[in-house]
Amino acid sequence: MALCRTARIYALADGRGYVTPDDVKALARPVWAHRLVPLSGAAGSAETAELLDGVLAEVPVPAPQGNG
């Protein structure tokens, strides 16, 4: 929910009434990094941030849908 709200505010601050996948990817790290703890428990915040960046790089951006 926090990521959704933050993305909406981010888009509005940029003058848009809609959120793009790039908005979500730009905000995922600062919103989620402190909430994620790897199962091993050994990774620090830098490792967690790198892990999150890797996951976000793997997630494909949806193709735009046309009208019609």
Side-chain angles (χ1 to χ4, degrees), residues 8 13 15 20 22 25 32 34 39 47 51 54 56 59 62-64 67:
R8 288 178 186 163
T20 66
D22 288 332
K25 285 188 172 189
W32 284 346
H34 71 283
L39 291 177
E47 291 85 0
L51 176 65
L56 290 171
V59 176
N67 293 334

Side-chain angles (χ1 to χ4, degrees), residues 7-19 23:
R8 288 178 186 163
I9 293 167
Y10 189 81
L12 284 173
D14 196 38
R16 291 180 279 115
Y18 57 90
V19 174
D23 295 337

Side-chain angles (χ1 to χ4, degrees), residues 19-67:
V19 174
T20 66
D22 288 332
D23 295 337
V24 175
K25 285 188 172 189
L27 295 167
R29 186 175 183 182
V31 171
W32 284 346
H34 71 283
R35 295 178 178 257
L36 299 178
V37 179
L39 291 177
S40 68
S45 61
E47 291 85 0
T48 301
E50 287 178 23
L51 176 65
L52 183 54
D53 287 344
V55 170
L56 290 171
E58 295 287 325
V59 176
V61 175
Q65 296 179 350
N67 293 334

